[in-house]
Amino acid sequence: MLRYLLGASLLICVEALAPCTLLAQTSGSPSIEGLAAKLDFDFPTEVATVSAARLSEEVNIDGRHTDAAWAAAPVISQFTQRDPEQGAEPTFRTEVRILYDDEALYVSARMFDSAPDSIVARLGRRDNRLDSDDFTVYLDPFLDRRTGYFFGINAAGTLRDGTLENDDWDDEDWDGVWVGKAIIDDEGWCAEFRIPFSQLRFQAAEDHEWGINFRRSIARKNESDFLVYTPRKESGFVSRFPTLQGLRGIAPKRQLDVIPYIRTRAEFLDHADDDPFNDGSSYSPGVGADFRVGVTSNLTLNATVNPDFGQVEVDPAVVNLSDVETFFPEKRPFFIEGNSVFNGFGRGGTNNMWGFNFSNPNFFYSRRIGRAPQGRLPANDYAERIDGARIIGATKLTGRINGGWNLGTIHSLTERAVADFALDGDRTSAEVEPLAYYGVNRLQKEFSGGRQALGVLSTVAVRDFREDRLRSQINQSAVVVGLDGWTFLDSDKVWVLTGWSAISNVSGTADRMVAVQTDPRRYFQRPDAKYASVDSSATSLSGSAGRLMLNKQSGRFGMNAALGYYSPSFDVNDLGFLFRSDIINGHVVLSYDWPDPGSWYRRVQVYSAAFNSSDFDGNTTWRGVWAANWIRFLNYHEVWLNVAYNPETVSNRRTRGGPLTLNQPGLELNFEYDTDSRKRLVWEIGGYTYLQEDSDFLQLYTEFVWQPASNVRVTLNPRASWNNEFSQYVGTFDDPTATATFGKRYVFAELDQVTVSSSVRLNWTFTPTMSLQLFAQPLISSGNYFNYKELAAPRTYDFVNYGESGTTFDADNLVVDPDGPGPARPIELPDQDFNFRSLRGTAVLRWEYMPGSTLFLVWTQSRSDSEDIGRLDFGPSVRDLFGAKPDNIFAIKLTYWFSR
């Protein structure tokens, strides 16, 4: 009772003292918030409003805070510490001032520090997260309490910016054109910002009110100070922002930005001596332009003509022995920026998205646009290489329309790809990718101040074939339509229900639809499947999917539960990404959080979960229990541990279209240890293993981050894995005598695979606008197949070992006779042993010679080699790798930003 009386008295005192506190508090004065922390209250400083003053004279953005105009702005200094001592007074005082004119918002921040020589000022490339003293401005111009922008600068002058969404999340993919400068002086350090209104979306009005917040980070103390912070065991960030007042007479800018580019590209590639399409070198100049147009005060149109969508950094090499596609992230700026409006489908409202063998599909996977050609060429001796379909043009419209609806739409057209090829000395050409249109449309509206929301998403892919040959290889069209939304179940926004549902339809020729039905995402051809089967006359395929999630957003005790499904016919892969369909999945996660420091830790979280997956035939395909623990120690080291147990379940994929088999019970262990990220040398070490009776997998990895100077960062990430698989799929062979397995023999082998790889990265930043980045990824992987066998009976994990039980096996030639002298025909097995070596790397020099205008110098090299041997001899493999002929690509690209 005493605690609550003290709390009530404290609140009354705050109300009475607030006006004078804002004027008189200094870095050495006692803080009411600190008293609240001692009383165990979650009591962030309540700063309701802050004010901006109109600029009366010019301000020079140089980081020095010497212009007289700043004196007209009210001082904002009532920051509160969130970390490491939540609710405590900041170690050092921070003063912020805000000015504006018709064109821009100006922010000055003075960060006092008693030891300026201890300020951590690490210089890095724009948007790099560095452990450095920094200052961030957060803006919510729509005052919708859920979305906005952030603009940050560290003490060395490195800039960061991005967007805010879903009240708690941020996205650094957006890059605005603005100016920020910082300097260190005898009193600490200063930062100044000029943020043009042309970079922001906001409503037209005479008087404006925006949401605003600030954060100061003191790296050496791991301290974060906010104007208003989110308590550790609560959620919601943007919704807590104070209101910025005093903005009068400003208007949204209907800006026109034009960014033309010129580039030249030279390729020097490994080639056969008599290849008529590749003599080892090629040169390709290019010119194009990007446009950004303010259609209305709330809508922005981005367009690109003849875009240069070459990636600056190469994709990593992988050895994929599974039946699912490898996912690579998007790296092209046009598709990255603002993509959250599309990829946020089904993820709004909740701040937790646990999966447990069920992941929300990427309804829009932009790498489908301009992808490598899907069509197969006729038989040939040599063929022209086409890396991707050329994108003729693309447009993107994002913003808000009447009624408060958030809008996003992308439209793109890719060119028909025709490849030359030669056979027996004759040269001809064939279509390998049709002319294609891709469209994505997104609408979403929030109600009751973000307590509820409703949205719709659609994707469309339509292709125009010139050659009928391709109609059996590529879908004619694909459409997906989905609805999503959320609702909070209580007034405090603690419990939220989030859900989505979608339907899909793909169409094409009957042959193409048979291929779709039998591909690895579905396997309708399974002989013991009941719910779905191959329809050889179908010319379209329709499916549905959905998920419902219940999440507890805040508090020490957490809970997350979900139930979702993908019908067997659901397909988004023409313009999205989905590993597999035919899943019904559910889970429950319980967690507990100790957010406040104890005698030996700073924070501890524990988790437990139970999960289950089945297919539409009712087979349990995955099930288990899981527990995890995350600890941050007093020295800022962290450890993560998790363990899971999976009982026996059924596999509907091991035979890749054949009958069901069993999954052996398995035990999963995972471990990671990270050191204090503030140090010059930071390292982590981790491991993962999955243990079954007959199979096991082990991966060990470590990472070293060395910062020998404030502007140099070296990262080394070596890893190694050992995969001992008892039942690695080899192939399926027709045999009418194999009556126990539906007239086919499903052949497997034991696999010993060893993979060693690393990524090496050097970031050398000369100035905040000029940097050099070097990246290399060596990889060596070997796989030895042995102890060949075939599945003995469906729905078992029993096998017939070749060379036993009446079978004969010629191990030298990999020829098996399944029944010895019986009627079954011998089977010639493929030799799948491998030793693959790869080295990929890039060197990129970036110079932003003026805001929004950049010069790129890029060198990319890749080399690879392989042998049909199953052992990994590290020394010879490394020598052979560096002896392989490389592919070298050099590119120069210059962009220039025009704005009106």
Side-chain angles (χ1 to χ4, degrees):
M1 177 64 73
L2 177 62
R3 182 176 181 225
Y4 294 104
L5 290 175
L6 285 171
S9 301
L10 190 60
L11 289 172
I12 294 170
C13 291
V14 169
E15 290 294 323
L17 295 175
C20 59
T21 301
L22 300 186
L23 295 174
Q25 188 176 6
T26 67
S27 61
S29 62
S31 95
I32 295 173
E33 294 79 13
L35 177 59
K38 296 180 185 299
L39 294 172
D40 196 26
F41 289 113
D42 288 328
F43 186 49
T45 306
E46 293 297 334
V47 181
T49 62
V50 297
S51 297
R54 180 169 275 277
L55 187 62
S56 58
E57 56 186 288
E58 185 177 351
V59 169
N60 180 29
I61 302 300
D62 57 9
R64 299 184 181 278
H65 190 65
T66 55
D67 296 281
W70 291 115
V75 177
I76 305 163
S77 61
Q78 53 273 32
F79 282 70
T80 306
Q81 189 179 144
R82 183 187 185 273
D83 295 302
E85 296 184 43
Q86 180 172 285
E89 187 171 334
T91 304
F92 304 116
R93 181 177 173 83
T94 303
E95 294 181 351
V96 181
R97 293 171 171 84
I98 307 172
L99 295 170
Y100 72 97
D101 59 20
D102 290 341
E103 302 297 325
L105 189 75
Y106 302 82
V107 178
S108 170
R110 155 63 72 180
M111 278 66 66
F112 292 96
D113 196 307
S114 61
D117 58 343
S118 298
I119 291 172
V120 180
R122 288 173 175 159
L123 188 61
R125 190 161 49 87
R126 178 170 175 165
D127 286 338
N128 273 12
R129 288 185 178 270
L130 303 169
D131 283 285
S132 180
D133 284 50
D134 66 30
F135 183 82
T136 305
V137 179
Y138 300 93
L139 297 174
D140 172 14
F142 277 120
L143 201 64
D144 62 8
R145 303 299 187 187
R146 294 192 61 80
T147 63
Y149 304 85
F150 66 88
F151 303 86
I153 189 170
N154 72 9
T158 299
L159 304 183
R160 289 176 54 243
D161 57 7
T163 57
L164 305 171
E165 57 191 75
N166 200 36
D167 199 5
D168 281 299
W169 301 346
D170 62 71
D171 181 357
E172 293 185 350
D173 291 334
W174 178 81
D175 284 324
V177 180
W178 56 285
V179 178
K181 299 290 183 180
I183 65 159
I184 299 174
D185 58 22
D186 292 340
E187 294 184 292
W189 68 286
C190 288
E192 291 182 335
F193 301 73
R194 182 185 186 273
I195 304 170
F197 293 136
S198 63
Q199 303 301 300
L200 308 175
R201 295 196 192 104
F202 55 94
Q203 301 280 3
E206 178 59 30
D207 294 323
H208 294 264
E209 289 190 342
W210 295 2
I212 194 168
N213 203 356
F214 307 105
R215 183 193 68 190
R216 176 189 180 179
S217 297
I218 306 173
R220 69 184 185 274
K221 297 180 176 293
N222 259 334
E223 181 175 328
S224 295
D225 304 328
F226 287 82
L227 193 61
V228 173
Y229 68 85
T230 302
R232 294 192 191 107
K233 58 178 180 284
E234 297 185 21
S235 64
F237 180 58
V238 182
S239 56
R240 300 173 184 268
F241 285 7
T243 301
L244 172 63
Q245 298 179 335
L247 300 176
R248 298 182 181 88
I250 65 172
K253 303 298 180 183
R254 297 179 62 176
Q255 193 80 355
L256 171 62
D257 295 340
V258 182
I259 309 176
Y261 81 86
I262 57 173
R263 68 117 170 106
T264 185
R265 176 184 173 101
E267 298 184 352
F268 303 93
L269 309 178
D270 185 24
H271 64 288
D273 292 337
D274 50 356
D275 186 343
F277 307 109
N278 181 7
D279 64 0
S281 63
S282 66
Y283 305 91
S284 57
V287 61
D290 295 335
F291 303 87
R292 184 175 184 265
V293 182
V295 179
T296 70
S297 62
N298 302 329
L299 285 174
T300 301
L301 175 68
N302 293 80
T304 182
V305 176
N306 193 31
D308 175 33
F309 279 156
Q311 292 182 190
V312 170
E313 188 172 296
V314 295
D315 291 320
V318 295
V319 177
N320 186 351
L321 302 179
S322 73
D323 62 343
V324 297
E325 178 184 7
T326 300
F327 180 90
F328 292 110
E330 178 62 87
K331 299 177 182 179
R332 299 171 295 182
F334 179 85
F335 291 115
I336 289 175
E337 293 178 7
N339 199 29
S340 59
V341 68
F342 306 103
N343 284 340
F345 178 84
R347 294 172 166 84
T350 182
N351 60 10
N352 247 323
M353 295 293 298
W354 292 96
F356 291 100
N357 212 35
F358 186 102
S359 60
N360 272 6
N362 282 21
F363 285 91
F364 175 42
Y365 180 43
S366 54
R367 288 190 64 143
R368 302 295 189 203
I369 302 175
R371 67 191 300 176
Q374 303 172 76
R376 298 183 297 274
L377 279 170
N380 63 82
D381 298 321
Y382 300 99
E384 177 187 9
R385 189 181 78 172
I386 299 178
D387 293 327
R390 189 176 74 88
I391 300 174
I392 300 172
T395 63
K396 177 168 56 178
L397 183 66
T398 56
R400 295 195 179 190
I401 57 177
N402 292 337
W405 287 88
N406 296 310
L407 168 70
T409 180
I410 289 180
H411 304 275
S412 179
L413 192 66
T414 59
E415 188 176 57
R416 190 185 313 276
V418 177
D420 295 330
F421 66 95
L423 178 65
D424 297 331
D426 295 328
R427 295 179 57 167
T428 187
S429 61
E431 183 181 18
V432 290
E433 185 73 19
L435 179 74
Y437 161 78
Y438 299 95
V440 187
N441 301 285
R442 173 71 162 144
L443 276 173
Q444 185 187 60
K445 181 176 174 60
E446 297 179 9
F447 306 92
S448 305
R451 299 188 63 83
Q452 293 89 30
L454 180 66
V456 62
L457 174 78
S458 70
T459 67
V460 179
V462 180
R463 300 178 176 91
D464 175 67
F465 298 97
R466 180 176 293 170
E467 297 183 20
D468 289 340
R469 175 183 57 87
L470 286 188
R471 294 181 184 274
S472 62
Q473 302 177 32
I474 305 173
N475 295 338
Q476 173 74 55
S477 63
V479 177
V480 178
V481 178
L483 295 172
D484 72 328
W486 72 79
T487 181
F488 285 92
L489 304 179
D490 61 310
S491 59
D492 294 328
K493 292 187 177 182
V494 174
W495 292 89
V496 64
L497 191 66
T498 300
W500 62 266
S501 63
I503 56 174
S504 68
N505 177 268
V506 296
S507 63
T509 65
D511 287 344
R512 176 56 190 165
M513 289 301 100
V514 168
V516 170
Q517 294 173 78
T518 57
D519 76 14
R521 298 180 185 94
R522 273 162 286 279
Y523 289 141
F524 282 10
Q525 71 271 35
R526 281 182 22 234
D528 49 4
K530 300 173 183 176
Y531 184 86
S533 60
V534 176
D535 181 355
S536 60
S537 64
T539 56
S540 65
L541 192 68
S542 298
S544 65
R547 199 176 195 213
L548 195 63
M549 294 161 280
L550 176 66
N551 188 62
K552 186 173 184 286
Q553 302 280 91
S554 59
R556 290 178 180 268
F557 168 72
M559 196 277 278
N560 179 274
L563 180 65
Y565 79 97
Y566 299 129
S567 76
S569 300
F570 187 67
D571 193 335
V572 301
N573 285 284
D574 281 77
L575 196 46
F577 191 98
L578 177 65
F579 287 105
R580 59 190 58 169
S581 59
D582 194 12
I583 295 176
I584 303 172
N585 170 277
H587 73 255
V588 175
V589 182
L590 302 176
S591 63
Y592 195 81
D593 184 11
W594 288 266
D596 302 314
S599 60
W600 56 274
Y601 65 85
R602 291 195 177 274
R603 190 168 190 174
V604 177
Q605 295 172 334
V606 295
Y607 306 86
S608 62
F611 52 91
N612 187 88
S613 294
S614 63
D615 62 19
F616 273 65
D617 281 344
N619 301 302
T620 299
T621 56
W622 203 243
R623 174 182 292 168
V625 291
W626 174 87
N629 182 205
W630 174 80
I631 304 170
R632 174 176 289 168
F633 299 101
L634 293 177
N635 63 356
Y636 291 98
H637 288 212
E638 297 177 3
V639 65
W640 169 267
L641 300 163
N642 77 259
V643 59
Y645 174 73
N646 307 111
E648 183 180 81
T649 52
V650 172
S651 172
N652 56 13
R653 312 187 62 80
R654 179 174 285 112
T655 55
R656 304 195 182 185
L660 301 172
T661 63
L662 295 181
N663 291 317
Q664 291 185 318
L667 178 67
E668 172 189 297
L669 299 170
N670 193 21
F671 163 81
E672 183 172 299
Y673 187 89
D674 302 272
T675 61
D676 186 350
S677 61
R678 298 172 297 173
K679 305 299 183 182
R680 284 190 177 272
L681 178 62
V682 180
W683 56 268
E684 71 174 43
I685 187 170
Y688 170 85
T689 186
Y690 192 72
L691 305 172
Q692 295 175 292
E693 181 180 350
D694 295 318
S695 302
D696 58 83
F697 176 85
L698 173 65
Q699 182 180 66
L700 299 176
Y701 60 90
T702 186
E703 181 177 78
F704 299 92
V705 179
W706 180 42
Q707 300 178 99
S710 63
N711 64 329
V712 178
R713 183 182 179 96
V714 182
T715 304
L716 177 66
N717 182 209
R719 59 183 57 223
S721 64
W722 297 264
N723 180 25
N724 301 307
E725 174 58 53
F726 182 75
S727 55
Q728 178 64 39
Y729 179 79
V730 173
T732 300
F733 303 90
D734 292 328
D735 187 344
T737 69
T739 56
T741 50
F742 304 98
K744 296 180 185 292
R745 298 190 184 274
Y746 299 93
V747 179
F748 297 84
E750 292 187 44
L751 170 66
D752 279 349
Q753 181 183 3
V754 180
T755 302
V756 179
S757 67
S758 182
S759 63
V760 183
R761 190 182 300 271
L762 166 66
N763 288 328
W764 189 355
T765 307
F766 308 109
T767 72
T769 57
M770 179 180 286
S771 65
L772 174 67
Q773 182 183 67
L774 303 177
F775 171 78
Q777 190 230 8
L779 177 144
I780 302 174
S781 183
S782 70
N784 179 36
Y785 287 74
F786 63 101
N787 288 350
Y788 290 84
K789 56 208 167 192
E790 67 179 53
L791 182 67
R795 210 179 180 91
T796 70
Y797 198 65
D798 299 332
F799 299 91
V800 176
N801 293 321
Y802 287 153
E804 303 176 5
S805 304
T807 67
T808 61
F809 184 55
D810 180 351
D812 293 331
N813 298 302
L814 296 181
V815 176
V816 59
D817 191 328
D819 61 355
R825 290 174 298 178
I827 301 172
E828 294 185 13
L829 301 178
D831 183 0
Q832 295 184 318
D833 289 353
F834 63 88
N835 185 303
F836 175 75
R837 287 89 68 176
S838 169
L839 175 62
R840 299 183 178 187
T842 58
V844 182
L845 178 69
R846 293 178 176 87
W847 175 33
E848 188 175 359
Y849 57 92
M850 60 181 293
S853 304
T854 308
L855 172 68
F856 295 91
L857 304 178
V858 183
W859 170 38
T860 299
Q861 184 184 100
S862 61
R863 61 178 75 202
S864 63
D865 189 28
S866 63
E867 295 179 89
D868 295 331
I869 59 174
R871 67 181 182 276
L872 193 155
D873 294 325
F874 189 77
S877 293
V878 171
R879 286 195 298 271
D880 291 343
L881 173 59
F882 283 96
K885 293 182 178 179
D887 291 341
N888 287 293
I889 300 174
F890 300 91
I892 301 175
K893 180 179 178 181
L894 180 71
T895 69
Y896 189 86
W897 178 59
F898 294 95
S899 181
R900 183 181 64 83

